[in-house]
Amino acid sequence: MEFDFNINLLFPDNVTLVGRHVPGHTQDSRFQQHKNLQLVIEVLGRKSAKAQQLTGSITSLHKSQIHGHHIFVLKNPSSNNGRGSVIGFVKVGKKRLFVLDHDGNHNEVFPLCVLDFYVHESQQRRGHGLQLFKHMLQHENVQPSHLAIDRPSQKFISFLKKHFNLWATIAQVNNFVIFEGFFKHRTDVV
Ligand code: ACO
């Protein structure tokens, strides 16, 4: 996804955690960069919602800041005449959930949840999703089986099975999906 401003200024790293720093030396330039950032996240949120056939976007810069969610953005630094383009994003955040275990007991947990995940249609199945996801895992210091996933799409289910050998074995009563190994060595069971 190309924009008419410099993506490389907005996202310094190949995978950037949004909000860490907004570039600009003056108040005006920081304001402009903030607006650019808002636009990129809005576009990504809209495209992701469309890809998942949701009725509306579930991701915006403002909402993520309020809820303390982390958005990681993957870019291609060399496209668009060196200004860079955006390939995709993943959004995660902690949530208090009740999840069922193998014995049918409700457990109150506070896991990191994958809330939104999208790679541009023209870039899917090239390993970009994996690159983003691995970066997020490392940054958040979490193992894949400890994540809860909010309404995963078929593509995402297939992705998790292929790359991390994860599959859901316990049906939940909420929209979240957990995997074999979710309860092993957890420290956040309330
Ligand atoms: N059909 C089935 N599986 C797919 C597809 C597809 N069209 N695209 C990717 N996958 C899965 C497969 O397991 C694939 O392996 P394969 O090509 O050998 O079958 C694997 O993902 C490829 O891995 P990557 O290339 O690293 O992943 P990619 O860059 O395609 O990103 C993602 C994966 C983010 C799920 C992407 O396909 C996408 O944006 N899909 C549309 C939006 C979406 O469904 N997002 C998840 C919503 S749920 C949530 O966010 C909580």
Side-chain angles (χ1 to χ4, degrees):
M1 280 158 276
E2 294 180 354
F3 293 83
D4 61 5
F5 43 81
N6 194 327
I7 286 300
N8 287 323
L9 275 183
L10 213 48
F11 304 108
D13 305 318
N14 276 358
V15 180
T16 298
L17 173 57
V18 168
R20 269 281 166 96
H21 97 129
V22 176
H25 296 298
T26 63
Q27 208 172 354
D28 276 358
S29 63
R30 277 198 294 275
F31 179 72
Q32 186 54 49
Q33 292 294 358
H34 185 78
K35 275 177 58 177
N36 293 348
L37 186 57
Q38 260 179 329
L39 178 66
V40 172
I41 303 303
E42 189 192 312
V43 170
L44 284 171
R46 252 192 279 130
K47 284 187 171 291
S48 178
K50 195 169 174 207
Q52 296 175 58
Q53 290 157 344
L54 303 177
T55 47
S57 171
I58 52 169
T59 295
S60 75
L61 184 62
H62 185 60
K63 276 190 274 183
S64 297
Q65 284 171 339
I66 289 176
H67 297 296
H69 296 157
H70 286 172
I71 299 177
F72 297 86
V73 171
L74 174 69
K75 70 171 180 180
N76 175 348
S78 54
S79 59
N80 197 17
N81 295 320
R83 301 168 105 194
S85 62
V86 175
I87 296 174
F89 79 104
V90 61
K91 178 177 80 171
V92 295
K94 285 201 155 196
K95 278 186 185 280
R96 197 165 292 279
L97 298 178
F98 286 94
V99 290
L100 289 168
D101 60 26
H102 277 293
D103 300 322
N105 299 315
H106 286 272
N107 297 265
E108 191 178 356
V109 285
F110 193 52
L112 189 73
C113 302
V114 183
L115 304 169
D116 207 357
F117 185 27
Y118 171 73
V119 167
H120 190 267
E121 281 70 12
S122 66
Q123 302 292 320
Q124 289 176 13
R125 289 186 138 159
R126 296 180 184 193
H128 294 307
L130 182 62
Q131 187 187 351
L132 250 176
F133 209 79
K134 277 184 167 170
H135 187 101
M136 177 279 290
L137 291 173
Q138 197 179 10
H139 185 277
E140 302 290 341
N141 194 22
V142 65
Q143 60 187 71
S145 61
H146 281 174
L147 295 166
I149 316 282
D150 191 5
R151 277 170 293 195
S153 62
Q154 278 310 316
K155 288 183 183 181
F156 195 9
I157 288 171
S158 159
F159 171 95
L160 290 166
K161 194 167 183 188
K162 175 185 168 129
H163 295 304
F164 301 101
N165 201 24
L166 291 179
W167 65 92
T169 49
I170 313 167
Q172 299 295 321
V173 288
N174 52 28
N175 288 325
F176 286 84
V177 168
I178 62 167
F179 304 95
E180 197 62 36
F182 181 82
F183 292 103
K184 235 185 210 170
H185 310 304
R186 290 200 82 88
T187 53
D188 60 351
V189 181
V190 181

